[in-house]
Amino acid sequence: MNLYVLFVSALFAFNSIDCLNILAVMPHMGKSHQLVFEPLFKKLVENGHSLTLITRYPQKKPVPNWTDINISNVEYNSTEIVTFDSLTGTRLDRYLCSKLLASFAYITCEEGLSHPNYLNFLKTDQHFDLVLIETFNTNCFMGVAKKFKVPIIGIHSGEWMPWLHGMFSRTNNPSYVSDHFLGHSDSMSFLERVENTIFFFINQFVYDMFLARQGKQLSKDITGVDLEEDMMKNISLLLINTHFTLNSKLPLSPNSIEIGGIHVINQPINPLPKDLKKFIEEAKHGVIYMSLGSTIRGDSLPEEKKRAFLNAFSRLKQRVVWKWEGEMTGKTPNVLIYRWTPQRDVLCHPNVKAYIGHSGILGVMEAVDCSKPILLLPLFGDQFTNAINIQRNGGGIMLHWNSTNEDAIYDTLQKLLSPKFEKSAKDLSSRFKDRPLAPMETALYWIHYVSRHKGAPFMKTAAVDMPFYQHYLLDVIGFLLVIFLTSFYVIYKSTKCTLKLLCKRPHQKIKKS
Ligand SMILES: *[C@@H]1O[C@H](CO)[C@@H](O)[C@H](O)[C@H]1NC(C)=O
Ligand SMILES: *[C@@H]1O[C@H](CO)[C@@H](O)[C@H](O)[C@H]1NC(C)=O
Ligand SMILES: *[C@@H]1O[C@H](CO)[C@@H](O)[C@H](O)[C@H]1NC(C)=O
Ligand SMILES: *[C@@H]1O[C@H](CO)[C@@H](O)[C@H](O)[C@H]1NC(C)=O
Ligand SMILES: *[C@@H]1O[C@H](CO)[C@@H](O)[C@H](O)[C@H]1NC(C)=O
């Protein structure tokens, strides 16, 4: 009888926790950010939770227990918006990246917060149990978290942003953790460490002075919600799309949870469109897949680079599938151009042998999941850091854009297609997938955990709330330095005095004699 009561109450306890009403906020205009977390959202509603998603990318077909708050603006379309002539390839690009993200954040906040659907949503009287919010480049949507006063979980689709460390772990020692935009490896030369340390400070400053301030101001001006302190520190836990086998290796606080590969690991692979399937399966020596991502317009590639790729491809036995918009002149017979491929399904096809990509985190994880070696061509943002990390972990070879010519492309592809590299990519793939709990189940576990423990505030380290100078022990170092210098001075003076006294008499005697 007792056991029965226990069983029933346990069931009830589970049930009451199991059906959460979840609010998710994905306001950024890059669709890839949402693509990482869509499988998680789908799983949550499948498991009986209900989801309200504030998004620019509402579902095309309605999903049960899933409500989209559509904050998209037809005039703004973030796919294929960057052209190659805007990428200078210099270090200055990387230095200015955080400032560029501040201007993206302005658009995200201004358009999103003032969207009638968002303002109406704020007026409704709903109850939520949990908020999942994107922690990319702005705090301006934290007003929703403040309104509902429930535990908040941060979700982030790629490498650690420079300012995320301060909110969760503060373990990004610049001696070996590269700045997000600089693309250093974890073994830096002296000058690289100097550069990395300078940007460690600059990017924190950019966040405090531009991103956080701007977000607070826009929240107040547009929605009337005063965020007071930087509410980002009220986030309980971070689910981050990284894994130490691929991304930066750094110690993490208990509330930083790696779920790298959540959108690929154990996700179904779909059949390919007929024409693509035929082209790939009829290739006797395999296929190379090339795509420089969805943000860049592939056909804005400078003519000279396009020729370099086509010339290199014409020397290959393999066929090539190339993501390209419009027509291509001078195409060789072994190349098929394709506007939108189901990229992951292509990469996982056994006859696809290598991937030429821009080192965006989604493409990289898709290729690693399918054990395919990558020719890494980083162009902007986090891509340099992703590329160097993949190269160091044996998943591919990086080419600098300025030195990407026919011979470099051909030689690198030959290396990537060798049995040695095939094994290296397989090994990386198996390391990437070898987890105590798959990333999806890990995310679900921690979402329930935070909900069960009412925000789990005990997971935070004290570092997050410490002033900068205390965390880096500047006050202690200063204090010890003062003590050391004072004692040194006192000892020096008193020794000098003693010596003077000791030496006085003989000295006088000598004088007299
Ligand atoms: C989920 O959707 C189903 C079917 O639309 C509905 O019967 C059920 O009540 C919904 N659950 C919640 C928690 O809203
Ligand atoms: C979302 O809103 C935009 C802009 O009003 C509109 O063009 C689009 O069709 C909407 N999407 C859906 C799925 O309702
Ligand atoms: C954005 O633009 C691309 C290409 O120009 C197009 O294929 C896509 O449908 C557009 N998306 C939206 C939401 O308008
Ligand atoms: C955010 O955290 C601070 C410090 O822990 C706390 O004082 C404040 O009430 C929290 N704000 C909200 C809206 O939960
Ligand atoms: C290309 O740029 C990289 C990094 O900025 C540099 O190390 C390399 O020497 C450059 N190569 C050429 C051919 O200019």
Side-chain angles (χ1 to χ4, degrees):
M1 179 65 191
N2 258 353
L3 217 78
Y4 177 72
V5 170
L6 239 153
F7 177 64
V8 168
S9 51
L11 250 181
F12 258 85
F14 244 91
N15 257 346
S16 61
I17 294 167
D18 252 1
C19 286
L20 299 171
N21 195 11
I22 298 172
L23 172 66
V25 189
M26 301 248 41
H28 183 61
M29 58 273 225
K31 190 175 184 185
S32 56
H33 292 222
Q34 180 167 323
L35 290 182
V36 171
F37 290 101
E38 259 182 30
L40 173 64
F41 298 156
K42 294 217 164 101
K43 193 81 184 173
L44 284 168
V45 292
E46 269 170 32
N47 287 2
H49 304 293
S50 48
L51 179 85
T52 301
L53 177 64
I54 295 173
T55 178
R56 281 172 179 263
Y57 300 97
Q59 297 302 297
K60 298 254 156 63
K61 285 185 223 143
V63 181
N65 300 330
W66 176 323
T67 314
D68 281 313
I69 309 291
N70 180 2
I71 56 165
S72 103
N73 174 345
V74 263
E75 283 145 52
Y76 199 83
N77 184 345
S78 78
T79 50
E80 300 170 347
I81 49 163
V82 177
T83 52
F84 278 92
D85 49 14
S86 63
L87 303 169
T88 64
T90 61
R91 286 203 88 65
L92 193 63
D93 268 5
R94 305 192 201 181
Y95 295 164
L96 296 178
C97 235
S98 52
K99 198 66 185 59
L100 183 71
L101 288 189
S103 55
F104 285 167
Y106 188 87
I107 301 172
T108 308
C109 298
E110 226 241 348
E111 292 186 357
L113 294 176
S114 63
H115 199 287
N117 290 348
Y118 181 74
L119 292 173
N120 286 338
F121 170 75
L122 277 188
K123 283 191 210 124
T124 61
D125 209 13
Q126 295 192 50
H127 165 79
F128 289 100
D129 302 302
L130 190 75
V131 172
L132 300 177
I133 193 162
E134 181 176 22
T135 54
F136 175 52
N137 61 350
T138 182
N139 54 359
C140 70
F141 279 83
M142 288 304 282
V144 288
K146 190 165 176 177
K147 175 177 160 79
F148 296 111
K149 294 195 176 54
V150 289
I152 315 163
I153 292 181
I155 49 182
H156 181 59
S157 56
E159 267 286 349
W160 284 84
M161 303 308 292
W163 38 86
L164 269 186
H165 297 284
M167 298 161 194
F168 295 97
S169 78
R170 280 258 177 98
T171 52
N172 55 328
N173 187 331
S175 66
Y176 71 99
V177 180
S178 172
D179 178 79
H180 181 95
F181 308 111
L182 292 183
H184 293 307
S185 77
D186 54 3
S187 149
M188 293 177 233
S189 68
F190 174 70
L191 285 179
E192 285 172 341
R193 273 184 293 130
V194 170
E195 186 188 42
N196 203 46
T197 307
I198 294 171
F199 278 87
F200 173 81
F201 291 109
I202 288 186
N203 284 332
Q204 187 59 49
F205 179 78
V206 168
Y207 179 78
D208 293 341
M209 284 297 134
F210 298 100
L211 290 148
R213 260 194 199 186
Q214 167 185 288
K216 272 195 255 183
Q217 194 64 45
L218 288 168
S219 171
K220 199 167 178 183
D221 292 351
I222 301 175
T223 63
V225 181
D226 187 355
L227 297 180
E228 293 157 53
E229 290 298 297
D230 184 17
M231 283 272 305
M232 299 301 275
K233 286 189 179 164
N234 290 57
I235 298 178
S236 293
L237 178 129
L238 177 68
L239 297 174
I240 185 164
N241 185 32
T242 57
H243 191 249
F244 59 85
T245 53
L246 297 192
N247 305 102
S248 302
K249 296 173 224 300
L250 68 164
L252 296 176
S253 58
N255 63 343
S256 309
I257 308 295
E258 287 198 310
I259 49 148
I262 188 165
H263 64 298
V264 286
I265 293 178
N266 302 338
Q267 292 295 312
I269 296 165
N270 303 308
L272 294 175
K274 268 204 188 103
D275 52 342
L276 202 53
K277 184 173 150 77
K278 186 165 174 320
F279 183 81
I280 290 176
E281 289 183 351
E282 284 176 1
K284 283 198 194 72
H285 302 279
V287 171
I288 292 165
Y289 170 68
M290 168 158 177
S291 164
L292 298 177
S294 61
T295 311
I296 284 194
R297 253 198 97 86
D299 63 4
S300 69
L301 191 68
E303 185 60 27
E304 159 227 347
K305 293 281 180 203
K306 190 184 97 187
R307 280 254 60 91
F309 278 104
L310 284 175
N311 288 348
F313 294 160
S314 69
R315 289 160 65 187
L316 293 171
K317 287 184 293 185
Q318 286 76 16
R319 286 182 171 183
V320 178
V321 175
W322 189 342
K323 185 222 172 239
W324 186 269
E325 310 80 16
E327 294 294 305
M328 181 188 281
T329 50
K331 188 169 77 64
T332 49
N334 65 337
V335 175
L336 175 73
I337 57 172
Y338 217 89
R339 179 70 178 271
W340 294 112
T341 59
Q343 175 160 291
R344 174 160 182 266
D345 306 329
V346 171
L347 283 171
C348 279
H349 193 286
N351 213 23
V352 170
K353 302 295 178 197
Y355 166 46
I356 304 177
H358 63 308
S359 325
I361 197 70
L362 276 91
V364 159
M365 284 184 172
E366 286 162 11
V368 170
D369 179 54
C370 306
S371 311
K372 302 298 155 76
I374 314 170
L375 195 162
L376 301 146
L377 289 168
L379 296 166
F380 59 88
D382 60 339
Q383 296 166 10
F384 301 99
T385 305
N386 294 340
I388 192 100
N389 283 328
I390 298 296
Q391 174 166 287
R392 280 176 77 79
N393 287 309
I397 300 175
M398 177 167 71
L399 279 185
H400 286 290
W401 190 240
N402 58 359
S403 52
T404 307
N405 55 36
E406 179 188 333
D407 288 336
I409 296 166
Y410 181 80
D411 295 344
T412 310
L413 284 174
Q414 290 306 319
K415 279 184 207 152
L416 291 174
L417 292 166
S418 70
K420 188 170 149 247
F421 226 101
E422 194 183 331
K423 179 169 184 312
S424 176
K426 275 216 173 88
D427 289 348
L428 176 61
S429 183
S430 84
R431 294 199 291 275
F432 178 58
K433 290 186 271 194
D434 190 345
R435 320 268 176 108
L437 199 61
M440 177 66 76
E441 281 64 42
T442 307
L444 293 174
Y445 175 83
W446 287 106
I447 287 172
H448 286 245
Y449 185 94
V450 166
S451 167
R452 272 202 300 278
H453 297 286
K454 312 208 162 28
F458 51 84
M459 293 182 85
K460 270 191 193 158
T461 68
V464 171
D465 293 319
M466 267 181 181
F468 191 82
Y469 70 92
Q470 280 186 19
H471 181 254
Y472 292 102
L473 293 171
L474 299 182
D475 51 346
V476 174
I477 294 170
F479 173 73
L480 293 180
L481 212 60
V482 167
I483 298 234
F484 173 76
L485 290 177
T486 315
S487 354
F488 182 78
Y489 183 76
V490 167
I491 292 170
Y492 172 77
K493 273 289 175 194
S494 55
T495 316
K496 211 170 149 189
C497 255
T498 321
L499 281 178
K500 241 186 204 160
L501 278 177
L502 281 177
C503 301
K504 217 172 193 172
R505 269 187 212 148
H507 188 69
Q508 277 171 348
K509 264 182 201 166
I510 292 164
K511 253 194 179 172
K512 264 181 197 168
S513 65

